[in-house]
Amino acid sequence: MFLLLYFIVLIYVKDFALTEDSVITPLCQKGYFPCGNLTKCLPRSFHCDGVNDCGNGADEENCGDTSGWATIFGTIHGNADKVAFAQECFLTQYPPHCDCKETELECVNADLKLVPSVSSNVTLLSLKKNKIHSLPDKVFIKYTELKKIFLQHNCIRHISSKAFFGLHNLQILYLNHNCITVLRPGVFKDLHQLTWLILDDNPITRISQQLFTGLNSLFFLSMVNNYLEALPNQMCAQMPQLNWMDLEGNGIKILTNSTFLSCDALTVLFLPRNQIDFVPEKTFSSLKNLGELDLSSNVITELPTHIFTDLKLLQKLNLSSNPLLYLHKNQFESLKQLQSLDLERIEIPNINTRMFQPMRNLSHIYFKNFRYCSYAPHVRICMPLTDGISSFEDLLANNILRICVWVIAFLTCFGNLFVIGMRSFIKAENTTHAMSIKILCCADCLMGVYLFFVGFSDLKYRGQYQKYALLWMESLQCRLMGVLAMLSTEVSVLLLTYLTLEKFLAVVFPFSNIHPGKRHTSLILIGIWIVGFLIAVIPFWNDDYFGNFYGKNGVCFPLYDDQTEDNGGKGYSLGIFLGVNLLAFLIIVFSYGIMFCSIHKTTLQTSEVRSHIGREVAVANRFFFIVFSDAICWIPVFVIKILSLFRVEIPGTITSWVVIFFLPVNSALNPILYTLTTSFFKDKLKQLLHRHRRKSIFQTKNKSLSTSIVWTDDSSSLKLGVLNKITFGDNITKPMS
Ligand SMILES: *[C@@H]1O[C@H](CO)[C@@H](O)[C@H](O)[C@H]1NC(C)=O
Ligand SMILES: *[C@@H]1O[C@H](CO)[C@@H](O)[C@H](O)[C@H]1NC(C)=O
Ligand SMILES: *[C@@H]1O[C@H](CO)[C@@H](O)[C@H](O)[C@H]1NC(C)=O
Ligand SMILES: *[C@@H]1O[C@H](CO)[C@@H](O)[C@H](O)[C@H]1NC(C)=O
Ligand SMILES: *[C@@H]1O[C@H](CO)[C@@H](O)[C@H](O)[C@H]1NC(C)=O
């Protein structure tokens, strides 16, 4: 009998692994199983609990299919052929509203207030969903043949310590979903044959040491959602056959090295949603037959190195949602049979490939971070499948991203190259300013080059990214790409700040004549490049301190840091993005604000009301666009950084869209804002086009752009000289007619 049960449990455990497989298909989320052909999904604990939760019986059906499981679990429904054969009732005495089949009696929802009096040779008594509130002394003493009792959903408050006297043949006892607060010592004393004891969802507060005395062949113990706090020492001393123990959600705080001391037969141990904070060495050393161990959602911060050493047969281990600080590098060394390992929500700062290599049979692994998957390359299924940027197969998981990276790279690169070309071709009067703009375009162009590299790498690893993810993120190319992107953004930010400050001085103090000379400007520009370069390469200086600063994700940009990041790199990235860049952004916003007010004041003093309104709108438009493009570029970055300070988890999807869409916005728009739409450029272009008598589409296109963004300079007052400087002004030669 025991062997049979054992095999059935093994099959069930196997089945578990199967339901977990089906979880991979998008039908139901992990830990849930599908209700046959319905779209409904139910949690694991609803499977085979004797209640038709699905509505179509699918949650009870699979138990019947797994070779005799139904008879053990006592599902009397769901077995179609049994209903067909057994219509006869062998019981002479039983209450109305009850169904009798052979010697099995079912009184579900029959409004019973007491355990009814029935024929003494009853073997199964189901009293689910009645109004029984108390089980007095010796209430079942007549029914020595009873094998199964179902008492769930009754709100039983009181169980006499002699309630189950005489039930020497009882195998299955369901007491879940009642109102039991106290289980008296010796209450299960006579239940020598008991194999299943289900006690979940009772507000039990006290469990005594002698409670399980006499349960010599208890096989299945389920006590979910009680308030146990502590387990009796050597729980299994009285229940040596105990095979399945479910103690979910009980507030258990302490496990000692003797709690499970003689539980040699235990194959399944569920301890999720308790308050366990420490698991001493040798706690599980007796559990030689354990197949599944669930310690998820506890408060364990540390696991001894050899805690799992004796669990040679363990197939499934769930440690998810524990605030573990550290995993030893040979923590899982002896788990040769392990098939499923759940480490969700656990940071593993010291993760390395050797940690998972000994588990040759591992087929499912669940991590907090997609990046960790590269450390367990031999595992068939690794979750999560994507970090929002990369999937298992592709560097850029999203098709839109994949296309956009090329489009934006092209726009950025060629827009900037075009401007550099135009600026060299058309001689400006203010050559130092033109030089600054060209340098800005160079920096922005690097962003385009970076995006091209991202696109190329995506193409290169298409369909097989998971094989190379780790290599790629650690590679020199990836780091250099990161340097390129960092250099581009930082030089661009510093240059924009410099240009803004220069213009600010020219506008707010128009007559002070503090224009930097050519040598001065060159020095400042060189200085900016050196600073940008230093910012980009400093993370290479000390690998221990910064870690792999750039290779945190597939696009090699150190924007988002999960909590596992080394403090050095994290602080540095914060300092750059929330320090330097935020400061630069604020300088730009305030400078433009003050400039606008200043121009507003000066134009009010001039007489021509009609023209100055239009002019002011144009100035406002222009300033708005410059500040706005800066804002859409940088505000998402600042928000992400600030949220990460508060330890808010940011989906990788958002990071990838910021890196590929928002960050290059400035680089792509700068040529338009600072050259293509300035009146100087427009005039020059007109002249050129006029000279070559070529009326192309380009001109009309340019015109339509210019009407929206650019102001027209048609008046020639002294003030105009001031205003023209704001257009990044190339000291305009007067418009000719
Ligand atoms: C591990 O436990 C958590 C929480 O109890 C659960 O959500 C998850 O599905 C479990 N993992 C596996 C692989 O069963
Ligand atoms: C599900 O299957 C049952 C038969 O097994 C059938 O009667 C029912 O219509 C099906 N429901 C749906 C939604 O397909
Ligand atoms: C059960 O007991 C009744 C008398 O109480 C008897 O008539 C019947 O045959 C018995 N059935 C079985 C299966 O022993
Ligand atoms: C359990 O731990 C105690 C110390 O806390 C130790 O004295 C005892 O030997 C341990 N028992 C076993 C079986 O390891
Ligand atoms: C892996 O599992 C198979 C059966 O699923 C078993 O035969 C084999 O021995 C296991 N491998 C190891 C290393 O235990």
Side-chain angles (χ1 to χ4, degrees), residues 336-337 339 360-361:
K336 303 268 186 252
Q337 297 286 343
Q339 289 165 10
R360 302 305 323 168
N361 261 4

Side-chain angles (χ1 to χ4, degrees), residues 256-258 261 280-282 285:
T256 69
N257 60 5
S258 58
L261 200 58
E281 195 82 60
K282 294 209 186 303
S285 59

Side-chain angles (χ1 to χ4, degrees), residues 498-510 590-592 594-595:
Y498 167 66
L499 287 172
T500 307
L501 284 177
E502 192 195 16
K503 199 161 46 154
F504 176 77
L505 290 179
V507 169
V508 180
F509 311 104
F590 281 113
S591 299
Y592 276 110
I594 293 171
M595 270 191 276

Side-chain angles (χ1 to χ4, degrees), residues 91-95 103 105 107 112 114-127 135-149 151 163-171 190-191:
L91 301 176
T92 50
Q93 185 197 3
Y94 59 90
T103 54
L105 189 64
C107 306
L112 296 172
L114 295 167
V115 175
S117 178
V118 301
S119 299
S120 62
N121 51 8
V122 64
T123 56
L124 182 149
L125 190 54
S126 173
L127 299 171
L135 296 178
D137 276 4
K138 303 183 180 175
V139 63
F140 299 109
I141 192 111
K142 278 202 306 178
Y143 315 120
T144 48
E145 308 281 307
L146 259 181
K147 291 200 167 66
K148 302 161 191 174
I149 301 181
L151 283 167
F164 301 113
F165 262 35
L167 292 172
H168 296 286
N169 292 309
L170 195 68
Q171 291 165 0
D190 280 356
L191 311 180

